[in-house]
Amino acid sequence: MGHEELLARHRAVMPDWMALYYDRPIEIASASGRHVTDGEGRTYLDFFAGILTNAVGYDVAEISDAIRAQLGTGVVHSSTLYLIRSQVELAERIAGLSGIPDAKVFFTNSGTEANETALMLATRYRRSDQVLALRNSYHGRAFATVAITGNRSWSASSLSPVKVAWVHGGYRYRSPFRDLPDADYVSACVADLREVIATATAGEVACLVVEPIQGVGGFSSPPDGLFAAFKEVLDEHGILLISDEVQTGWGRTGEHFWGIQAHGVTPDAMTFAKGLGNGLAIGGVVARGDLMDCLTANSLSTFGGNPLSTTGALATLDYLLDHDLQANAAKLGDRLIGGLRRIAEDRPAVGDVRGKGLMVGIELVGPQGEPDALKAGAVLEGARERGLLVGKGGLYGNVIRLAPPMTVTEDEVEEALGTLEAVL
């Protein structure tokens, strides 16, 4: 079947709102390491990793062997009504890595489901339907997660099961506080949080949900320490702090295993997904035991925690830790960010280069510093033409997102920098 026929069939049966990258979309037919090959035989260096999901790269023997061994038992699914050894072992590992006291873990199939679960727990625990979220945030495509998403491009409906108020802080580049020094920026955002609680809520708020680095929002983040300062205010009111680690977890930021750790604070719950399965569908919540156990009704996840996904996730987690991919993310992330900032020095179309570890954003701007989505689209296309796959995002669609597998090499970073320099 040819490429054009596959594209036509896709458009006939898939929703119009399910976007495809590129003027001429590609099919990824095979892959190895950090390279993917499309259905027409063209090979690319992948610097978006299936939206940060292929965290260890492609065709990793240790992970594939573990999955094949589980398939060999004949048990792909048993449901959470039965004991699942790999589910228990993975939960033990994540609880220990979380830093959350008396932690318990619930597995889902995606980050959206994980965030929906966290919202259900927090609202039930606090007996409140009021939620705080950050402007420019993204937390998923389901009813409650769309409701707390602070980015109109991804808010499909104004209907909501929760009452939401948004606070400043996550997107510094276009913040009204952008020109303030770090400490003053934090103080201004804390003052805004206090004012929002006082004026936009009725008190008794359930939780604040934050992304330590905003993913869909364009890999933007506040100064380190903001969320510790926020937590002091939250604690005054008994409000829970939930960290959405769907994109920042598993060492991708380089400096820490979880993004929230940069702020020197322990949240009440964290949500995770994406990189844990290295392509397998898995997500979840790790939370304080009393918070996790607060539900008084029955609940389960038919596929969450299934033997295949948890076996693959255990192998992925082992690989991440055994090969110290967090350190690789730190080292090569510095190299990538440093290289991009040198490239940006004489290119006024690059308004900002930002990120941590292997989460790097390039914000494209016009002559007056205005967002320029057309330039970002041109960079996306130009990189593909030169054999490099990158992502795109941001509130205005003008941010190039770079997030290669965490096994990326120095030579591959230099190759990507050369390509981006030529494109930019």
Side-chain angles (χ1 to χ4, degrees):
M1 178 176 57
H3 169 273
E4 296 301 331
E5 181 189 352
L6 181 60
L7 177 58
R9 290 171 61 186
H10 173 100
R11 287 179 171 156
V13 296
M14 298 295 179
D16 290 345
W17 42 260
M18 200 170 80
L20 289 166
Y21 269 174
Y22 307 118
D23 292 337
R24 193 170 185 273
I26 62 174
E27 172 196 9
I28 294 178
S30 62
S32 178
R34 273 74 51 199
H35 289 83
V36 301
T37 301
D38 69 18
E40 298 181 311
R42 176 91 188 269
T43 297
Y44 306 88
L45 176 60
D46 185 4
F47 259 54
F48 202 35
I51 319 180
L52 296 83
T53 303
N54 301 311
V56 180
Y58 299 90
D59 195 24
V60 180
E62 291 88 338
I63 300 172
S64 298
D65 289 347
I67 294 168
R68 278 191 286 264
Q70 181 59 42
L71 286 172
T73 69
V75 181
V76 173
H77 172 76
S78 61
S79 96
T80 51
L81 296 173
Y82 303 93
L83 290 171
I84 302 172
R85 188 174 300 274
S86 55
Q87 178 183 234
V88 173
E89 291 175 356
L90 183 59
E92 289 171 339
R93 298 284 296 281
I94 293 172
L97 289 163
S98 72
I100 296 174
D102 303 315
K104 288 191 172 184
V105 181
F106 178 75
F107 291 109
T108 64
N109 304 288
S110 68
T112 290
E113 283 186 52
N115 285 325
E116 288 277 334
T117 302
L119 288 170
M120 181 174 66
L121 292 171
T123 54
R124 175 65 182 81
Y125 185 87
R126 290 280 292 158
R127 296 180 177 274
S128 167
D129 63 352
Q130 298 183 94
V131 173
L132 299 171
L134 290 181
R135 299 178 183 210
N136 197 48
S137 61
Y138 174 82
H139 298 288
R141 58 163 184 78
F143 198 36
T145 51
V146 163
I148 65 168
T149 287
N151 181 329
R152 191 174 67 183
S153 297
W154 293 89
S155 297
S157 172
S158 64
L159 300 174
S160 172
V162 291
K163 297 178 174 65
V164 191
W166 285 274
V167 298
H168 281 290
Y171 183 26
R172 188 175 187 177
Y173 183 68
R174 296 191 183 278
S175 165
F177 313 134
R178 62 177 287 175
D179 296 323
L180 296 176
D182 285 0
D184 293 338
Y185 181 93
V186 169
S187 295
C189 292
V190 169
D192 174 66
L193 173 63
R194 289 188 181 279
E195 184 175 7
V196 167
I197 292 172
T199 63
T201 77
E204 305 301 323
V205 175
C207 61
L208 167 65
V209 185
V210 303
E211 296 165 278
I213 298 176
Q214 294 184 326
V216 169
F219 288 169
S220 56
S221 61
D224 291 350
L226 175 69
F227 297 131
F230 273 12
K231 186 73 160 59
E232 292 181 12
V233 177
L234 301 179
D235 287 348
E236 293 172 13
H237 300 271
I239 300 169
L240 301 172
L241 175 63
I242 298 170
S243 183
D244 179 340
E245 300 277 350
V246 169
Q247 297 198 23
T248 48
W250 322 115
R252 177 164 284 279
T253 67
E255 59 185 16
H256 298 286
F257 197 73
W258 307 101
I260 196 70
Q261 291 173 322
H263 296 267
V265 65
T266 301
D268 299 288
M270 294 190 293
T271 58
F272 55 83
K274 289 194 183 293
L276 176 62
N278 201 49
L280 291 170
I282 189 168
V285 183
V286 54
R288 288 180 359 223
D290 61 329
L291 174 56
M292 186 65 80
D293 289 338
C294 74
L295 298 186
T296 54
N298 293 323
S299 194
L300 55 73
S301 175
T302 298
F303 296 108
N306 72 75
L308 195 64
S309 290
T310 50
T311 294
L314 272 170
T316 301
L317 190 54
D318 283 340
Y319 194 99
L320 278 163
L321 296 172
D322 291 346
H323 293 81
D324 199 1
L325 296 190
Q326 181 182 330
N328 195 55
K331 176 185 174 184
L332 296 189
D334 285 347
R335 188 164 183 159
L336 180 59
I337 293 169
L340 288 170
R341 286 181 173 157
R342 286 191 297 274
I343 292 168
E345 286 175 0
D346 60 351
R347 287 171 173 80
V350 179
D352 193 27
V353 173
R354 56 177 177 256
K356 290 183 178 183
L358 294 174
M359 289 185 74
V360 182
I362 309 168
E363 180 146 352
L364 281 299
V365 299
Q368 308 303 316
E370 71 276 15
D372 195 326
L374 289 177
K375 283 178 183 162
V379 171
L380 186 84
E381 292 284 354
R384 185 201 60 78
E385 290 169 6
R386 291 166 174 82
L388 178 69
L389 303 186
V390 300
K392 190 163 71 75
L395 179 61
Y396 305 102
N398 67 317
V399 180
I400 294 297
R401 298 167 66 198
L402 305 176
M406 292 164 62
T407 49
V408 70
T409 67
E410 290 184 8
D411 287 346
E412 289 164 345
V413 167
E414 291 303 318
E415 178 185 341
L417 284 169
T419 300
L420 289 166
E421 183 169 19
V423 174
L424 288 166

